[in-house]
Structures are given as C-alpha cells and as structure tokens.
Amino acid sequence: MLLHYEEGIFPGWLNAWVGNFMISAFYFTSGWLAGIRPRDITVKELAKKRWQTLGKPYFYFSILILAFDLILFAVGYYDLKFIARELYKTITIRGIGTLWFLPALFGGEIIFRWILNKNNRILLIVTILLSLIIIHYYYYFYFKYRNVSDVHRMIEAPLFTIRNIILAWPIIYIGYALGKHIGAKLSNSNIYGILTIGIIITGISIYYNGGFCPFSFGIVTPLIVPVIGPFGLLLLAYPIKGNNIAARFLSFWGVNSLVMMVTHYSITLVLCKIIDQHLFHLPFTGVKTLIWFAISVFITYPIAWFFNNKAKWMLGKG
C-alpha cells in the first residue's frame, strides 16, 4: 500500500526491490502456513474453499469498484473508455487494480496442491521447467510489444492472469517446503539469531535485484527476489511477536489484508488524488503522499470494521 502511495521519495532500487515481492509475499505466506500446518486436502476441496474466500470476493469487490468508477464517470472524472477497460478486466479475470491477485492466488494454490498430492518428483521438475519456459517467453513478448495498441493490451489481459498463476505456484511450493522443514523450529530459535538471518537474507535479495535487470534472465531473478525477500521479512517479523502495539497493528492488517489491498488502490488512493489535484490544485508527489498514506490507513480501519461486521459475505465469510 505504501509503495502505491509513495511518489518521488523512495529511490528506484527500493521501489523495484519491494515491487518484486510485495505480492509474492502473499504466495510465500500461503505456502508457509500450509507447511507448518500440513493436512491432507483434495484439489476439489481446496477449490471449493478458495472459491468461497477468493472467488466470491473477486466478483463482489469488482462490482463495488465498478459502481465507484461509474459515480466518478457521472461527474466527469473518468471517460467511457476507462469504464469499458475496467469492465473488460473484470470479465477476463485480469482484475481491476489489485484484484488481479485473487485469481492468481486461486490458480497458484490449485496447481501447487495438485502437484503436492501427486507426490511425483518427475512431475514437479517437468512442471517447473514448463513454467520457466512460459514465463520467459511471456516477458520476451511483453517487453517487445508492450503498449503497442489497445488491441494488444486486450489480448494481453487474460494472458496476464495466466502468467501470474504460473509464477505464483512455485513460490507457494517453496514457501511450503521452508515452512515444513524450518517453520516449526523458528519459534524456539534465539531471537537475535533470527533477526540476524533476516537482515542477511533481506540484504541478499536487495543485492540480487540491484545486480540484475529483473527480467533479463527470464524467471531466474523474478523467482529469487520474490522468495528471498518475503522469507527475510518473515524472519524479521518473529521478534515482534507478542502482545505489543507493533504486533497487534501488523496482526490486524494481516487478518484484514484483503480489505486493505482491494480498497486502497481503486478507492482511497483515487479519492486522495482527487482531493489533492482538483481541490487543492497540487501535484500528488513528495512527502505529502506519505501523509495521505497515513490518513488512508487510519480511514481503512472503519472500512475493515464494516466489512467484518456488516458485509462478511463480501469477504467470503459466513
């Protein structure tokens, strides 16, 4: 959320580093939790469960954001082309704003569980190799023809979702493997040792991102940073555990990450920009973007309360 608000403050390398794993951290955590709490579940059972917690929220929040967009269209802020593009993204499962993440996690978890349940090492290796090839050529053609025309962007929209699914499942699998073999032992580890390891691993991820163009070697760097970065931050989070302000704050937004992710980009950020640019006639840049970020976090608390108490069905609960 901070990365979406920040404008002209963070150096480019920091933006690129965080951008490479800020969403894949969700994939990694999904696998990590499956690893530290392993249980047998069929693909069909998982698909039914994820349809409730990811599929339904995708459509409910798509309708909510489209309604918000139509209000801004009515007052002249958006044009008809923008509305058509948002509707097309919804239909093709590309997703409006950050909603693309929900189908990606859904599909990634299904592939991960299917491979895990097969318990076939050859199948795992073959699927990884196929994923590497697909991702490599996706990036090759994407950067060769990106933003060529509206027709190209229409063709690319559904391929974007397929790319994200293929990129998600290996990160989920690696998170699962690390959670299964390391996760249970971390709770008894020395707190300073965990902190040191976290700093080292996070530093390595910065080095890899700074040393290579993110897509110059196909899948190599996009897979290294999305795995090492979240793992380092996960280790760094362990010393914060407990009944303290920082732990409660992070825990709250961990539980309500869906609400924050969906509303901040397509609703609250848009409103902040409208106020800044059209009411105050100021550019949305500089330190004040961090102020808007803090304000948005504050006003998202009652939004999270509303969804958890008055509209649980939109979150796939109840």
Side-chain angles (χ1 to χ4, degrees):
M1 179 177 176
L2 174 61
L3 200 65
H4 284 151
Y5 274 75
E6 179 274 332
E7 185 65 41
I9 299 176
F10 298 162
W13 65 264
L14 180 59
N15 279 310
W17 173 62
V18 176
N20 269 337
F21 70 80
M22 64 181 182
I23 291 297
S24 62
F26 285 91
Y27 306 147
F28 185 90
T29 304
S30 175
W32 178 274
L33 294 175
I36 63 176
R37 297 186 304 216
R39 67 187 187 91
D40 294 329
I41 184 173
T42 66
V43 173
K44 184 177 180 180
E45 290 171 336
L46 179 64
K48 183 178 180 180
K49 182 178 179 180
R50 289 295 176 260
W51 168 252
Q52 183 70 22
T53 59
L54 298 175
K56 289 183 178 181
Y58 173 84
F59 290 104
Y60 292 148
F61 280 105
S62 293
I63 294 171
L64 174 66
I65 295 173
L66 282 170
F68 177 75
D69 290 343
L70 287 173
I71 293 174
L72 294 184
F73 168 74
V75 298
Y77 186 75
Y78 289 144
D79 57 21
L80 190 59
K81 182 179 179 180
F82 179 87
I83 299 298
R85 186 165 64 244
E86 299 285 86
L87 183 60
Y88 179 76
K89 288 180 180 179
T90 299
I91 295 173
T92 57
I93 320 298
R94 163 62 174 82
I96 303 172
T98 54
L99 281 174
W100 64 266
F101 162 75
L102 300 182
L105 181 59
F106 188 113
E109 285 199 337
I110 295 299
I111 296 176
F112 154 72
R113 178 54 61 175
W114 176 70
I115 294 174
L116 186 67
N117 289 354
K118 290 294 183 180
N119 194 27
N120 188 317
R121 187 167 297 180
I122 295 177
L123 176 64
L124 173 63
I125 294 172
V126 170
T127 309
I128 289 176
L129 290 176
L130 286 174
S131 298
L132 293 176
I133 294 170
I134 293 171
I135 294 298
H136 173 78
Y137 281 101
Y138 171 88
Y139 281 124
Y140 173 79
F141 287 105
Y142 175 78
F143 282 101
K144 185 176 181 180
Y145 300 106
R146 69 180 304 183
N147 298 329
V148 172
S149 66
D150 289 338
V151 173
H152 174 263
R153 285 192 285 269
M154 290 179 66
I155 296 173
E156 193 269 339
L159 297 178
F160 177 83
T161 299
I162 296 174
R163 187 287 307 257
N164 290 328
I165 291 173
I166 295 174
L167 189 58
W169 84 262
I171 300 173
I172 297 173
Y173 201 103
I174 294 171
Y176 167 81
L178 290 173
K180 182 178 180 180
H181 297 291
I182 299 176
K185 302 176 183 179
L186 283 178
S187 58
N188 298 321
S189 299
N190 182 279
I191 188 172
Y192 298 106
I194 295 173
L195 186 60
T196 302
I197 293 172
I199 292 173
I200 291 173
I201 293 180
T202 304
I204 291 174
S205 70
I206 297 176
Y207 169 79
Y208 270 102
N209 185 74
F212 302 106
C213 174
F215 310 116
S216 59
F217 296 99
I219 189 68
V220 177
T221 304
L223 193 57
I224 290 174
V225 177
V227 169
I228 295 179
F231 187 48
L233 291 180
L234 189 64
L235 294 178
L236 286 169
Y238 264 78
I240 305 176
K241 291 196 306 180
N243 188 26
N244 55 72
I245 295 177
R248 291 199 300 270
F249 176 82
L250 294 175
S251 178
F252 178 85
W253 290 120
V255 173
N256 294 283
S257 56
L258 175 61
V259 174
M260 172 179 275
M261 182 186 69
V262 171
T263 61
H264 88 270
Y265 189 81
S266 298
I267 297 179
T268 55
L269 177 58
V270 174
L271 291 174
C272 290
K273 287 183 175 180
I274 290 174
I275 295 172
D276 210 36
Q277 297 171 348
H278 295 276
L279 184 61
F280 297 142
H281 302 288
L282 295 171
F284 195 78
T285 58
V287 176
K288 70 174 181 295
T289 61
L290 301 183
I291 298 174
W292 281 120
F293 162 72
I295 293 173
S296 294
V297 171
F298 180 76
I299 64 177
T300 307
Y301 271 97
I303 294 175
W305 177 90
F306 172 80
F307 282 114
N308 280 299
N309 291 275
K310 302 298 182 180
K312 286 185 177 182
W313 50 274
M314 290 190 67
L315 302 175
K317 301 176 181 179

